[in-house]
Amino acid sequence: MSLTNFRTADAPAPVTFPALQEKKHTGQPITALTAYDFATARLVDEAGIDLILVGDSLAQVVLGYDSTLPVTVDEMLHHTRAVRRAVRRAIVAADMPFGSYQASEVEGVANAVRFVKEAGAQAVKIEGGASRAELVERLTAAEIPVIGHLGLTPQSVHRMGGYKVQGKSAAAIGALLHDAHTLEAAGAAMLVLEGMPREVAARITAEVGIPTIGIGAGPDCDGQILVFHDLVNLTFSTPAKFVRQYGDAAALFRNAVEGYRRDVVERTFPADEESYHLPKEAAAALKDAPVRHGA
Ligand code: KIV
């Protein structure tokens, strides 16, 4: 029996962290996207994306909150399970939501274990720099790959005073480089670099040995990630500068829903071909049976 553990012959080879590390070393771009449900995760996986993040951005784009802060561990687990059921090839990583790892390392490890054990995540992502080093060490020791997240970290929205590009002063750049090196030394498998000048992301990418995945951090990272709903225009807001829209799901869905409504109102849906029919004899018997009005 092979060590690929019962994979059927037609199943694609799963992506692994060593494979992503190899991509960095050979200069092949790493592709990542968020997904939050079965259908979109399946499409993203079938498109050949390397890493699917069940991001806490789901608080905003799926649940309608105005920040990522309210989403809970149980809600994140629910969505991670749905994504897990869809994905055969990509790495599935779960975002640790605000409040699930800030109080203590012990609580952070316990919550991360839930994502692996109860939802099938292969990695967790946590926001923050050197202050997370001990947690990263403990998670790594617990065999849970960790993705760090530096720069514009949405869970720090109140400290940052809004969603602002980070790393613009010499001191801030120095702090980001220190954070990146500290997380790497603690065992992080990968870093998300969000909302920072291209030059700073390029410098971090050149200095660390682990892959960097950029979002609003320019093209010099080892890979890129976007929020799925940004990619397909489903956020009902003006896209950020770094977003490129590759489709218009809002227009697609709107047309479909308006068309359905029109056809129901005009009684053109469902058509006879879209209806089930009785066999001839039963239809005749039904026709002959007296109609009992108001019964
Ligand atoms: O929650 C999220 O979607 C993220 C990505 C933007 C990296 O953290």
Side-chain angles (χ1 to χ4, degrees):
M1 186 173 64
S2 92
L3 290 178
T4 46
N5 196 15
F6 307 119
R7 255 195 313 120
T8 54
D10 65 331
V15 181
T16 61
F17 277 104
L20 297 188
Q21 187 66 48
E22 184 60 18
K23 279 198 168 192
K24 177 177 177 104
H25 286 135
T26 54
Q28 292 169 263
I30 296 166
T31 56
L33 261 181
T34 67
Y36 317 100
D37 61 61
F38 182 88
T40 52
R42 180 151 175 173
L43 293 174
V44 170
D45 191 41
E46 288 178 357
I49 294 294
D50 295 319
L51 184 140
I52 297 179
L53 173 71
V54 187
D56 62 353
S57 50
L58 76 83
Q60 291 164 286
V61 298
V62 176
L63 302 180
Y65 292 115
D66 63 3
S67 78
T68 59
L69 303 181
V71 73
T72 65
V73 170
D74 285 339
E75 287 167 331
M76 292 297 299
L77 285 168
H78 174 76
H79 286 272
T80 306
R81 284 189 205 107
V83 168
R84 177 69 280 166
R85 287 193 282 270
V87 174
R88 299 201 300 166
R89 176 183 171 274
I91 290 178
V92 174
D95 229 348
M96 300 274 290
F98 177 68
S100 68
Y101 59 95
Q102 283 84 354
S104 74
E105 280 78 22
V106 171
E107 200 179 355
V109 174
N111 280 321
V113 166
R114 291 192 69 193
F115 280 101
V116 176
K117 217 175 171 69
E118 297 176 32
Q122 291 153 280
V124 295
K125 178 169 81 57
I126 59 174
E127 296 185 7
S131 63
R132 305 282 177 242
E134 189 179 339
L135 177 57
V136 173
E137 263 177 38
R138 289 194 190 201
L139 290 169
T140 307
E143 312 298 345
I144 300 175
V146 185
I147 303 173
H149 186 160
L150 296 175
L152 193 173
T153 45
Q155 292 177 13
S156 316
V157 58
H158 297 313
R159 178 181 56 72
M160 294 183 303
Y163 299 104
K164 296 175 180 168
V165 173
Q166 304 293 300
K168 295 212 257 186
S169 67
I173 295 167
L176 280 173
L177 282 165
H178 174 68
D179 286 339
H181 284 294
T182 307
L183 292 182
E184 180 181 18
M190 182 180 269
L191 296 176
V192 166
L193 306 180
E194 177 167 359
M196 64 179 71
R198 169 180 182 169
E199 298 79 3
V200 179
R203 182 64 180 262
I204 294 172
T205 301
E207 287 197 13
V208 297
I210 53 177
T212 62
I213 305 292
I215 173 163
D220 309 304
C221 299
D222 298 309
Q224 297 292 327
I225 185 165
L226 278 179
V227 167
F228 180 84
H229 289 57
D230 281 335
L231 186 87
V232 299
N233 185 28
L234 213 49
T235 61
F236 305 95
S237 59
T238 311
K241 174 181 175 153
F242 61 82
V243 169
R244 190 182 293 177
Q245 288 181 338
Y246 287 86
D248 191 352
L252 184 78
F253 288 174
R254 194 171 278 126
N255 285 342
V257 174
E258 286 174 1
Y260 165 72
R261 182 187 171 276
R262 185 194 56 235
D263 288 355
V264 171
V265 168
E266 293 175 358
R267 294 193 182 281
T268 60
F269 175 80
D272 189 54
E273 316 83 77
E274 289 155 335
S275 309
Y276 297 108
H277 291 280
L278 282 171
K280 263 192 192 148
E281 273 176 23
L286 181 66
K287 209 172 159 202
D288 293 344
V291 178
R292 295 191 293 153
H293 291 287

